[in-house]
Amino acid sequence: MPIYYACKYAPVELMAGFGVSALPVTTEEQNAAALEDLIHPAICGFAKNVLGACRSKEIRALVLTTCCDAMNRVGDVLQQEGSLDFLYVLDLPHVQTDAAYKRYEKELMRFAKALSAYTQSEFSLAHALAASENTREKAKSTDYGAVLKGAHAMPSLLELAKKTLQCDVQNATCSGDRVLELPDESLYHNPSRACEAQKEDDLARFVSWYAKALLTQPACMRMAEPRKPHAADTKKPVLYHTLRFCEYWPFEYRELTKSDTASLLKIETEATSNSSKQLVVRLKAFQESLEASSGTHPGKEHSMHTRYAIGIDIGSTASKGVLIDRKTNEICARAIRATGAKAKDASHALLQELEAALPKGEDAVICATGYGRDTLQDTAKIVTEITCHAKGARALLPDVRCVIDIGGQDSKAIALDECGNIESFVMNDKCAAGTGRFLDTTSRVLELDRESFIKAGLSSKHPATISSMCTVFAESEIVTLIAQNTPISDIVSGLSVSVAQKTASLVSRVHGHAPFLFTGGVSKNMSVVEALEKKLDAKVATSPDSQFCGALGAALLA
Ligand code: ADP
């Protein structure tokens, strides 16, 4: 029967010495909300996974460490319930000092006693040393291209990272790969004693080396010392994973941002494998920025001879496409249509329309982006909308430093450096708040067509306060405002302010600053542009081709 563990400082090799196979917890709790009464709603998804696996009887024996408050709480609940065959909570030091090694040594000796009683077995130094060597070998054998740090990552996240970054990714999270130094030479020479005494002596000698070997692994985010990133970690791209409600990552993350880490991307999950669309886009955009900085954009070389390029942006609401002359980067043709229920139909129709605009006998390379980009994966190069928007925005406004894109069902802010490289980006694709859909729905409630809606917004001097960001609640707020005889223009202007507010918070999350370029269909709504300029206290540029920005970027990257 295996014993499970949830922390990389758990004594896996000591357990091997008692013939126990130790396994990391990788289960995903399917009904996390049901556990909240027992533990607390504001507890990280990993802690819920551990608790759920124990309560469903999938785990019968568990070793926890006092690594964080979430795990302490899991330990408390399990101890109270008393349903596990074996539960041990190890008191884990949070510094790498001689005193801490001594303390952990004593703790491991206590643990060994409990383990021996539970397993009814004696310690084998040979088995513990073999397991330690094995751990060391495993850590040495792979040439990692990137590092995943921060909070516990589900195996599915690690797989997604490997697949997207197209390299091996080292799991250096708090529950990740364990890295041990070589066992002390002296441990291999047995002093000859009476059998019983020797077993005890073996255990004490092993633990005296092992406590320090465990604690001097590359520090996890919970270690108070050392906080500085390992030099090797800063040479490779780092994905920094955080879990909602985890309180420890900001300390380590701050150190990483201060270090000269090659490239850093922060991602957050709930410790489940339901990777959001946003997570996939974030990882893909990160990989594209790594490729761009190393000058290895795939497909570029063999396509350079083709004079024309088509960029297609299949948005959730509208599909846009442009044909460009690659000699001049001028747009020769544009096409737009509603995406509708079948993104594939829209993308193929757009492509046909733009190919028909090609001069006779000419060919074009094609690149697709947007939420429906994969519908063209057989014919086009595929690039995320983040990379395409950044590229297109630089073409529309060369000194742009922050792109604000508001489309039909999502919005994003992308901060660029002076060379146009993506510094940071954030997307809102969880709800319609602050998007074109929010404005379209509310204009229907007000029975105004698009033009009248924008005109009304621009004519108001006293925007009404719309406090609900949610489309459904905003609708009922509008009905109340109408009943109170609030002028329609003030209501519309209030809606623009509400969209501007939501967008400004995205901008501040990426530390975006002027020059701003507003892209996406909503940039045609001058009432929103005005409100945004007021909120950001800066000029917000738009372009007649703002809605084609993603498509233009795709064409430039084809
Ligand atoms: P996506 O790429 O997400 O499908 P777009 O960037 O193409 O979205 O923007 C579509 C949205 O832009 C529509 O939902 C609509 O709200 C808004 N929009 C489109 N045209 C106009 C216009 N002329 N004036 C104001 N808003 C517009």
Side-chain angles (χ1 to χ4, degrees):
M1 186 67 88
I3 296 184
Y4 285 81
Y5 66 95
C7 162
K8 71 175 179 184
Y9 300 101
V12 171
E13 294 74 18
L14 179 60
M15 291 193 255
F18 284 93
V20 170
S21 78
L23 296 177
V25 181
T26 54
T27 324
E28 283 175 41
E29 176 54 34
Q30 299 304 322
N31 197 3
L35 298 171
E36 290 178 358
D37 283 348
L38 263 179
I39 190 162
H40 197 280
I43 207 94
C44 82
F46 182 38
K48 285 178 191 154
N49 287 349
V50 177
L51 186 59
C54 293
R55 301 194 87 236
S56 69
K57 308 263 184 276
E58 193 183 319
I59 290 178
R60 304 293 317 143
L62 178 71
V63 176
L64 289 176
T65 57
T66 54
C67 54
C68 64
D69 196 42
M71 285 304 160
N72 292 347
R73 288 195 210 187
V74 171
D76 289 348
V77 172
L78 291 172
Q79 217 127 36
Q80 264 168 22
E81 290 193 331
S83 56
L84 290 186
D85 298 337
F86 180 76
L87 171 67
Y88 200 98
V89 183
L90 279 156
D91 189 12
L92 178 73
H94 292 120
V95 287
Q96 295 180 347
T97 61
D98 286 341
Y101 309 145
K102 273 271 160 255
R103 213 183 94 206
Y104 206 37
E105 192 181 322
K106 283 190 189 151
E107 182 65 357
L108 290 178
M109 288 302 282
R110 277 193 288 272
F111 170 69
K113 206 169 161 194
L115 192 61
S116 174
Y118 169 62
T119 57
Q120 295 289 302
S121 57
E122 287 184 345
F123 178 72
S124 153
L125 178 61
H127 287 163
L129 287 175
S132 306
E133 284 162 22
N134 197 19
T135 303
R136 186 185 158 80
E137 280 313 304
K138 254 200 251 159
K140 271 198 334 195
S141 59
T142 316
D143 185 18
Y144 296 106
V147 187
L148 178 64
K149 283 182 74 72
H152 165 82
M154 297 306 296
S156 53
L157 174 61
L158 197 66
E159 280 317 304
L160 180 67
K162 283 182 192 171
K163 194 170 140 209
T164 320
L165 300 187
Q166 295 162 17
C167 64
D168 253 308
V169 177
Q170 182 182 17
N171 183 356
T173 61
C174 65
S175 60
D177 299 340
R178 306 171 67 264
V179 184
L180 290 184
E181 61 183 40
L182 257 186
D184 244 20
E185 264 302 303
S186 62
L187 286 170
Y188 292 88
H189 310 296
N190 280 346
S192 48
R193 300 248 173 92
C195 198
E196 227 12 71
Q198 169 138 4
K199 291 272 177 227
E200 273 177 31
D201 193 46
D202 282 351
L203 178 64
R205 287 190 308 130
F206 177 76
V207 168
S208 125
W209 163 77
Y210 185 61
K212 182 174 176 185
L214 268 185
L215 287 179
T216 47
Q217 295 183 85
C220 81
M221 62 176 181
R222 183 58 184 96
M223 280 290 167
E225 255 173 52
R227 282 249 167 81
K228 287 230 170 318
H230 210 262
D233 286 354
T234 61
K235 297 208 173 64
K236 293 175 180 161
V238 176
L239 292 174
Y240 198 88
H241 179 234
T242 70
L243 286 172
R244 207 144 78 91
F245 304 124
C246 171
E247 292 163 354
Y248 294 113
W249 65 266
F251 306 105
E252 187 184 48
Y253 184 69
R254 196 169 48 227
E255 287 298 334
L256 264 176
T257 55
K258 282 196 286 183
S259 72
D260 48 359
T261 297
S263 317
L264 177 64
L265 176 75
K266 182 156 83 61
I267 48 178
E268 184 175 292
T269 73
E270 305 260 359
T272 68
S273 57
N274 303 330
S275 39
S276 68
K277 178 188 146 213
Q278 181 169 164
L279 176 62
V280 176
V281 173
R282 286 181 75 80
L283 287 171
K284 190 80 190 101
F286 185 59
Q287 187 251 349
E288 286 164 0
S289 70
L290 295 175
E291 272 178 5
S293 58
S294 66
T296 57
H297 246 304
K300 237 183 167 175
E301 273 147 47
H302 15 258
S303 59
M304 273 328 271
H305 308 295
T306 315
R307 172 148 177 197
Y308 293 92
I310 290 174
I312 303 242
D313 174 8
I314 308 297
S316 52
T317 308
S319 296
K320 288 82 52 181
V322 295
L323 170 69
I324 63 162
D325 181 338
R326 298 169 99 197
K327 268 195 181 162
T328 57
N329 282 346
E330 293 294 319
I331 299 179
C332 315
R334 297 164 181 80
I336 183 164
R337 59 173 62 218
T339 301
K342 285 193 181 156
K344 196 169 186 168
D345 292 352
S347 57
H348 287 142
L350 265 190
L351 193 56
Q352 261 182 7
E353 197 177 332
L354 290 164
E355 279 175 339
L358 272 169
K360 236 190 164 84
E362 290 286 351
D363 207 358
V365 283
I366 308 161
C367 177
T369 188
Y371 115 106
R373 60 187 178 272
D374 288 340
T375 55
L376 285 172
Q377 64 185 350
D378 294 339
T379 36
K381 177 176 165 182
I382 306 293
V383 180
T384 62
E385 52 267 46
I386 304 295
T387 305
C388 288
H389 269 272
K391 186 80 178 172
R394 284 275 290 187
L396 297 176
L397 183 72
D399 60 347
V400 60
R401 293 299 294 273
C402 182
V403 187
I404 297 166
D405 175 65
I406 310 185
Q409 295 183 40
D410 59 24
S411 53
K412 48 186 153 311
I414 310 169
L416 305 176
D417 66 14
E418 64 273 23
C419 304
N421 299 313
I422 297 166
E423 279 186 332
S424 175
F425 67 87
V426 61
M427 286 172 80
N428 156 43
D429 61 356
K430 290 205 175 109
C431 71
T435 68
R437 190 180 161 81
F438 177 78
L439 295 169
D440 292 346
T441 310
T442 47
S443 69
R444 266 197 295 276
V445 176
L446 292 166
E447 296 176 354
L448 290 175
D449 61 35
R450 205 172 260 164
E451 220 169 286
S452 322
F453 184 75
I454 299 172
K455 248 192 206 155
L458 286 169
S459 67
S460 160
K461 294 267 173 293
H462 307 285
T465 306
I466 313 276
S467 42
S468 308
M469 286 285 188
C470 165
T471 313
V472 180
F473 293 137
E475 262 187 65
S476 59
E477 226 180 313
I478 291 168
V479 172
T480 311
L481 286 168
I482 295 172
Q484 290 166 348
N485 292 324
T486 309
I488 297 293
S489 56
D490 292 352
I491 299 177
V492 178
S493 173
L495 290 167
S496 300
V497 171
S498 142
V499 170
Q501 220 152 5
K502 178 104 187 152
T503 311
S505 82
L506 293 183
V507 170
S508 89
R509 277 166 62 191
V510 297
H511 306 291
H513 61 81
F516 291 105
L517 177 71
F518 189 179
T519 67
V522 177
S523 66
K524 292 188 191 169
N525 183 329
M526 289 315 289
S527 168
V528 175
V529 178
E530 242 182 35
L532 202 48
E533 288 189 326
K534 272 196 196 134
K535 272 273 159 264
L536 296 172
D537 194 21
K539 166 132 190 60
V540 174
T542 60
S543 151
D545 280 321
S546 268
Q547 197 173 4
F548 291 92
C549 182
L552 174 60
L556 293 169
L557 289 164

